Amino acid sequence: MTIYEIITKKKRNAELSTEEINWVTAGYTSGAIPDYQMSALLMAICFSSLSDRETADLTMAMAHSGDMLKPDTGGFNVDKHSTGGVGDKTTLICAPIAAACGVFVPKMSGRGLGHTGGTIDKLESIAGFRTALGYDEFIGNVRKAGLAISGQTGELVPADKKIYALRNATATVDSIPLICSSIMSKKLASGADGIVLDVKVGDGAFMKTVPEAEKLARLMVEVGTRAGRKCSALLTDMSKPLGRTVGNALEVMEAIEALKGNAPKDLHEISVSAAAEMLFTAGKGTAAECISMAEKAISDGSALEKLREMINLQGGDPRVIDDYGFFPKAKTQREIFAEKDGYICGISCEKTGIISMKLGAGRLTKESGIDLSAGIVFEKTVGDYVKKGEKLAVLHTSSECDLAEISEEFRGVFRYGEKQEVPEEKNVIKIIKGY
Ligand code: URA
């Protein structure tokens, strides 16, 4: 077997055997296969694709390239993963809800990159909150509180670290089988019994159309199910920013408000649906019962108490729950006003994410710093009628950025219309179950 033969096979759209896939994955991870040959293979995969069997094999080979964890929490462990969006603070809401209802949630999360946010950055806006837990402490906290959220611990999927970096540099990210194997290898290696995937769809997401998102969701569910996990996926809307805030501290405040029962409709619906799916996966009841349980955990305050418990256990300042003055506050706030009368018919989601990044809330490279106070608070949303001069949003920043230029750019994210183009209120577009 040589890498040259394998590249040639894939270039000619032939199916690779399990042995070939295992051999390439191990060879690239160890350094025996150089970047230029792996790049050629990845590009061939982008053009020729992979069968479902090949994708499952690649996922398993990648998962086994490092530690295969088995969280010993004493209960059924459920993980949740979002494919990434703008204003997506769902994990901070659905994980405490699920824990409050008796599910164990050992959740390893990532940082934001590019225009999408990451849960670890958001949590770091809570003073003292530790996001780098050792594995024993991570599992110990799940045993005590039912949930812990940490960055990756241990040596998890080294194959993905290398392949993902190479894909980023060689324009080979946007391949459904490669995205599936990247995400699912990490989910399988982290060892949860149940996996709930939130596949975002729309202008602010990786997958821009429902058919594309559905294809990815079905493939991930199939791979997770074949690997013996209870796996399901929600397709959720990302055609406008989720909720009313974008940016780290601002989003944590909105998540706390959501747990106090004050979420905007889209955020509430998606968070409750994800939490209910986590409960259903753990066998807590019928679909309808799981929705009621999730709603109750918000209305009786038990989910908020779970978040407080997690913040305490991870060394964060729990006063943030009751007093938002303990969050980092932006030095500058710039109000943005409507330029004409009309209905807001759309808010460009990807552009909003990029503007939030320019305000300092995101990083252009994994290494760059981040302004935890930065971001955007929307006062108006899609479907609202506004009069010229009415406040639309407030931009927050503590960074040295060109606020005049950013404000001008931000005005362009709003699309106005004379008629109310009532958007189809479909926040959860579809649920795909593998069991
Ligand atoms: N997130 C991942 O972890 N991998 C991908 O390929 C895409 C999104």
Side-chain angles (χ1 to χ4, degrees):
M1 197 179 311
T2 66
I3 181 67
Y4 189 90
E5 288 165 313
I6 291 174
I7 297 167
T8 307
K9 247 178 119 172
K10 197 31 78 187
K11 184 178 73 177
R12 296 189 178 144
N13 208 1
E15 217 173 314
L16 303 179
S17 68
T18 305
E19 293 67 37
E20 285 168 328
I21 290 172
N22 289 342
W23 184 82
V24 168
T25 309
Y28 182 61
T29 309
S30 71
I33 294 173
D35 283 351
Y36 56 85
Q37 286 181 314
M38 191 64 182
S39 310
L41 180 61
L42 292 170
M43 192 56 86
I45 292 173
C46 281
F47 286 114
S48 300
S49 198
L50 293 178
S51 68
D52 291 1
R53 197 271 307 151
E54 288 175 295
T55 307
D57 283 346
L58 178 61
T59 308
M60 294 314 289
M62 287 169 68
H64 282 94
S65 66
D67 297 342
M68 286 297 283
L69 304 175
K70 191 81 205 86
D72 179 18
T73 59
F76 190 90
N77 301 300
V78 180
D79 200 351
K80 177 255 170 197
H81 180 88
S82 161
T83 56
V86 178
D88 182 17
K89 66 282 292 173
T90 311
T91 293
L92 297 174
I93 305 165
C94 68
I97 295 176
C101 298
V103 173
F104 289 95
V105 189
K107 172 90 188 83
M108 287 189 199
S109 289
R111 296 189 181 278
L113 186 66
H115 78 280
T116 65
T119 303
I120 293 301
D121 291 331
K122 297 182 215 283
L123 283 168
E124 285 181 355
S125 66
I126 300 172
F129 192 94
R130 290 180 300 111
T131 55
L133 302 184
Y135 195 61
D136 290 345
E137 183 181 8
F138 176 62
I139 296 301
N141 287 3
V142 178
R143 280 177 164 271
K144 281 186 217 145
L147 86 157
I149 303 179
S150 172
Q152 272 188 18
T153 71
E155 177 69 340
L156 217 71
V157 199
D160 182 63
K161 282 200 190 97
K162 279 193 84 175
I163 296 173
Y164 193 75
L166 192 63
R167 285 167 60 211
N168 244 339
T170 56
T172 51
V173 170
D174 60 346
S175 146
I176 288 179
L178 293 179
I179 294 174
C180 170
S181 53
S182 167
I183 292 176
M184 291 307 291
S185 59
K186 287 175 285 204
K187 295 291 109 183
L188 297 180
S190 55
D193 307 298
I195 302 165
V196 174
L197 301 160
D198 181 3
V199 179
K200 300 284 179 201
V201 55
D203 156 57
F206 240 144
M207 299 288 124
K208 307 287 183 205
T209 67
V210 173
E212 263 182 317
E214 185 164 348
K215 196 165 165 200
L216 174 63
R218 287 197 185 280
L219 193 56
M220 290 199 289
V221 167
E222 156 105 26
V223 167
T225 308
R226 273 190 199 210
R229 314 298 166 89
K230 281 178 90 177
C231 192
S232 60
L234 281 71
L235 253 62
T236 66
D237 181 52
M238 194 35 74
S239 63
K240 62 175 175 28
L242 183 57
R244 293 296 183 104
T245 61
V246 182
N248 298 292
L250 296 169
E251 289 190 42
V252 182
M253 287 182 238
E254 189 175 26
I256 295 170
E257 273 305 302
L259 289 173
K260 291 177 182 172
N262 304 321
K265 187 168 180 287
D266 57 348
L267 181 60
H268 179 82
E269 202 176 306
I270 291 176
S271 303
V272 166
S273 300
E277 197 51 39
M278 293 167 84
L279 301 182
F280 187 80
T281 305
K284 294 284 177 191
T286 63
E289 284 164 353
C290 290
I291 293 272
S292 305
M293 275 189 270
E295 295 280 8
K296 185 162 175 290
I298 296 178
S299 59
D300 69 11
S302 56
L304 185 67
E305 286 319 302
K306 274 293 162 203
L307 181 68
R308 194 192 304 272
E309 209 179 333
M310 180 185 83
I311 292 173
N312 257 321
L313 280 170
Q314 294 191 222
D317 184 347
R319 290 176 298 176
V320 292
I321 301 263
D322 305 303
D323 184 348
Y324 301 147
F326 287 103
F327 278 106
K329 190 168 188 295
K331 284 195 200 120
T332 312
Q333 300 186 3
R334 170 75 60 96
E335 297 178 329
I336 305 293
F337 301 100
E339 293 176 303
K340 53 184 168 186
D341 294 356
Y343 286 97
I344 298 176
C345 295
I347 298 176
S348 166
C349 193
E350 185 170 11
K351 278 194 195 138
T352 299
I354 291 168
I355 287 166
S356 173
M357 193 170 80
K358 288 183 180 171
L359 289 166
R363 50 173 79 72
L364 282 165
T365 67
K366 271 196 167 137
E367 288 72 34
S368 41
I370 203 164
D371 170 3
L372 294 167
S373 70
I376 303 163
V377 178
F378 285 90
E379 305 219 347
K380 298 286 176 196
T381 190
V382 176
D384 289 346
Y385 183 78
V386 291
K387 291 203 94 47
K388 186 173 176 194
E390 240 185 291
K391 202 197 293 177
L392 295 175
V394 183
L395 306 183
H396 293 239
T397 187
S398 303
S399 313
E400 302 283 314
C401 55
D402 187 340
L403 205 48
E405 190 181 295
I406 294 174
S407 304
E408 191 47 42
E409 197 182 336
F410 182 67
R411 285 184 195 98
V413 308
F414 293 92
R415 184 168 64 79
Y416 296 85
E418 307 222 321
K419 286 204 297 265
Q420 191 180 25
E421 292 170 22
V422 182
E424 208 196 331
E425 272 291 302
K426 265 230 159 240
N427 297 309
V428 179
I429 298 159
K430 204 170 260 193
I431 301 182
I432 294 158
K433 287 190 196 284
Y435 56 94

